[in-house]
Structure formats: C-alpha cells, structure tokens
Amino acid sequence: MAKMSSDPLVIGRVIGDVVDDFYPCVKMSVTYNSNKHVYNDYEHLPSSVSSKPRVEVHGGDMRSFFTLIMTDPDVPGPSDPYLREHLHWIITDIPGTTDSSFGKEAVSYEMPRPNIGIHRFIFLLFKQKKRQSLMKPPICRDGFNTRKFAEENELGLPVAAVFFNCQRETAARKR
C-alpha cells in the first residue's frame, strides 16, 4: 500500500532511504530532557540531544517485545551520504506498554554530531517475534544498514518511526 505524499516519512525520505514502505501500527514517543519531544521533520540542536532520550511504546502488550534503532543516513553529508548509515543506538527486548529503560541496550547511545549539512536522525521501532537477547550487535557503527539488520534478525518492517533534523551549531551558516 503506497503512502500518501503528505506523509512526513515519505517527504523526509525515511521511507526509501532507510526502510521500505510500512504501516505504523504502534505508537512511540521520543522525548529528550523530559520536555523536548521529537516530531517528524522538526529541528533539534546537538546540545539538546546529547543524552539519551526516553522512548515510550504505546499499543503493545506485556507479551510483545520491541527493538529500537536510531540511525543517521546522511553521513558524512546529505548531498553525498556515501557512508550511509551511521548507527547511534540499539535497544532490544523493550516490553510493550513500557519505555526503553526496560529494554537491553545492545549498542550504547551516541549523541548526534553532524558536520556537514542537515542530518536526519531516525528512530525505528520493530516488533520482535520473541524475546531475542541473543541478537548480534553490529560490528561497526559506520556503514550500518537498517534493512539488512532487520532481515538478519527477523524483525520485518518497522511498526513505528519518527525523525528529527539536526545540524552543527557552531558553524557559520552561509546562504
């Protein structure tokens, strides 16, 4: 089923660049510093996203488990992202109806540090077939591939996604 062109995940090329078209069937909220909510296509400064966010899953149940992936597909820069993707975080075994603090951190949180241009930082939530504490974490953060990781770990398509934009704070911006 093709998404409508007004879908921010299509407009922001999350669907296409990182994952295939999917139907969001679980609600997920991402909040930094207890008050900075992540909404699709909004911008956050690197200093405001330096510590790991609280990620809440709504719509699962106590028998369902989820995997969260945070990735940046715009490395080193959005005009030539030849290192696509850079992995920032993986949490597995998040019980439905709870938050990421109840899951297992497979890859520790790495704060966004975009150097060139505006980067997209994407949170993808996958429903696990079962509790999978033996999931193989990737060897390297650079060159990560969400599709391949999801396939290797039998995660299927995401059930929720949200992304924010971020660019270097200290650079003098020329227009």
Side-chain angles (χ1 to χ4, degrees):
M1 163 173 98
K3 292 227 186 268
M4 295 191 326
S5 59
S6 62
D7 185 323
L9 297 174
V10 172
I11 294 167
R13 297 182 336 275
V14 170
I15 292 173
D17 287 355
V18 181
V19 293
D20 295 326
D21 195 9
F22 70 97
Y23 179 75
C25 55
V26 172
K27 294 212 180 300
M28 169 179 65
S29 62
V30 180
T31 311
Y32 280 94
N33 304 321
S34 75
N35 64 353
K36 291 208 181 302
H37 295 277
V38 172
Y39 298 106
N40 285 323
D41 213 20
Y42 280 51
E43 185 164 341
H44 290 281
L45 298 173
S47 60
S48 70
V49 294
S50 60
S51 57
K52 66 173 100 170
R54 177 181 173 94
V55 179
E56 294 179 84
V57 178
H58 313 277
D61 59 47
M62 291 313 290
R63 293 181 308 277
S64 51
F65 292 92
F66 297 89
T67 293
L68 175 78
I69 295 172
M70 179 186 176
T71 185
D72 173 1
D74 300 318
V75 179
S79 61
D80 185 19
Y82 64 88
L83 294 176
R84 176 177 292 169
E85 301 164 40
H86 183 82
L87 177 65
H88 282 266
W89 202 23
I90 295 181
I91 299 178
T92 63
D93 297 333
I94 302 168
T97 71
T98 64
D99 65 68
S100 55
S101 66
F102 290 95
K104 178 184 169 222
E105 194 172 58
V107 175
S108 62
Y109 182 79
E110 181 181 279
M111 72 175 277
R113 289 187 189 96
N115 281 326
I116 305 165
I118 300 170
H119 289 236
R120 296 166 292 164
F121 290 88
I122 305 165
F123 294 91
L124 297 150
L125 190 69
F126 295 87
K127 186 171 183 182
Q128 297 171 196
K129 289 186 175 169
K130 61 185 185 330
R131 195 170 200 152
Q132 298 177 309
S133 53
L134 297 176
M135 189 177 289
K136 295 180 301 228
I139 298 163
C140 182
R141 289 180 188 260
D142 286 324
F144 181 74
N145 185 307
T146 298
R147 283 185 182 96
K148 186 176 175 194
F149 182 81
E151 184 181 310
E152 288 171 354
N153 291 284
E154 299 180 21
L155 294 171
L157 291 171
V159 294
V162 66
F163 76 101
F164 67 90
N165 298 316
C166 189
Q167 62 185 311
R168 189 173 170 174
E169 290 178 68
T170 55
R173 295 192 182 136
K174 296 177 184 170
R175 296 268 177 226

